[in-house]
Amino acid sequence: MIRIDRASSRYHADYGWLKTYHSFSFGEYYDPNNIQFGPLRVLNDDFVAPLAGFGAHPHREMEIVSIVLKGYLQHEDSTGHKAVTTFGGVQRMSAGTGIVHSEVNPSATEEVNFLQLWFLPEQYGLPPSYERTEFPVDKMKNALLPIVTKHPSSPGIAHIHQDLTIYLSDLEAGHELTFTQPEGRNIFVFVIEGDLTLNGEAHLERRDAARITDTPALRLATNEGSRLMLIDLPKEG
């Protein structure tokens, strides 16, 4: 089953310094029928103005992944970590028993656009931790490149405390990809740029998403080219 969530259906707020689009209930947006998809609890598409951002604030018991699409994002936290990330980098933070962090745009001239994803952890009570990884952008071409997973196979993949994998891909027109997984798991697809067709039937445009259940084989094709994110995750959070 493929459920399409159009970009226009997302909750949107404009605070001047922040323009944000929420795919799931978050902050002042609450829909009891749109809380999570398996352990995926938050997907915010954030645009932050120069020299603005989220000041120091606490988190507990959540796996938080930030993927920068454009511009630069600066992270600082109470465990002593500080880093700046742009496209090609991933920030993964395990809030665990408690952490305080900030995420700000360090540029004086350029807006930053990033995806912030929250996942329920597989295990609670973990010590807080943070890592920044870099992935080979060229390896996204016509392939599903893992950038976050429970069992990383290389230093360029971030580790997460949940049984899931986040992939990025740059799919060219005329090319197709097939993703297979064992039964009993879900797939979440988010079109960052371009267009995408799933199993020859469901057509998605820029910033559309699909929640896919009971579909162990998924064929991805594009008419114009697509930059996409695919998440393989368990059904239960």
Side-chain angles (χ1 to χ4, degrees):
M1 176 180 172
I2 300 176
R3 167 187 156 178
I4 298 177
D5 297 324
R6 296 297 179 193
S8 59
S9 71
R10 298 178 298 172
Y11 173 83
H12 172 56
D14 185 346
Y15 301 102
W17 66 272
L18 168 68
K19 297 177 177 64
T20 183
Y21 299 82
H22 299 170
S23 295
F24 298 90
S25 293
F26 182 87
E28 61 188 40
Y29 163 58
Y30 177 73
D31 179 351
N33 297 313
N34 188 29
I35 301 295
Q36 64 192 82
F37 183 61
L40 176 55
R41 177 63 188 83
V42 168
L43 171 54
N44 292 349
D45 187 3
D46 289 338
F47 297 78
V48 178
L51 301 180
F54 304 93
H57 59 282
H59 291 286
R60 292 177 60 89
E61 306 298 2
M62 196 66 67
E63 299 289 299
I64 300 174
V65 176
S66 297
I67 303 172
V68 179
L69 303 180
K70 181 181 179 182
Y72 295 86
L73 183 67
Q74 179 176 294
H75 163 98
E76 191 167 1
D77 66 49
S78 55
T79 65
H81 292 97
K82 184 176 182 178
V84 176
T85 304
T86 188
F87 183 69
V90 171
Q91 298 188 38
R92 187 275 307 163
M93 186 177 74
S94 297
T97 54
I99 193 170
V100 175
H101 84 134
S102 63
E103 285 185 304
V104 300
N105 180 358
S107 172
T109 58
E110 184 179 4
E111 180 182 69
V112 62
N113 174 212
F114 69 102
L115 302 178
Q116 183 165 133
L117 301 98
W118 293 13
F119 299 92
L120 300 172
E122 195 173 43
Q123 178 183 349
Y124 291 90
L126 296 170
S129 62
Y130 170 85
E131 70 174 323
R132 178 188 177 278
T133 55
E134 294 186 2
F135 58 88
V137 174
D138 60 312
K139 299 295 184 183
M140 293 168 50
K141 185 177 179 180
N142 299 320
L144 289 166
L145 177 70
I147 61 167
V148 179
T149 192
K150 182 180 177 181
H151 300 292
S153 58
S154 78
I157 307 175
H159 169 255
I160 193 167
H161 299 98
Q162 180 54 266
D163 183 20
L164 63 87
T165 302
I166 303 175
Y167 300 88
L168 291 181
S169 178
D170 279 333
L171 185 60
E172 295 178 310
H175 291 261
E176 292 188 358
L177 293 171
T178 299
F179 180 78
T180 59
Q181 63 178 181
E183 292 185 6
R185 295 182 64 79
N186 289 342
I187 304 171
F188 185 89
V189 172
F190 183 78
V191 179
I192 299 170
E193 300 289 347
D195 76 293
L196 193 66
T197 300
L198 305 177
N199 283 352
E201 59 183 57
H203 188 70
L204 284 69
E205 299 288 345
R206 181 182 185 272
R207 261 40 178 204
D208 288 348
R211 306 181 195 194
I212 303 159
T213 58
D214 302 316
T215 307
L218 185 67
R219 182 166 54 90
L220 303 97
T222 178
N223 295 325
E224 303 172 1
S226 179
R227 172 165 286 175
L228 66 106
M229 176 177 65
L230 183 150
I231 309 175
D232 167 27
L233 67 171
K235 283 190 173 183
E236 302 299 327

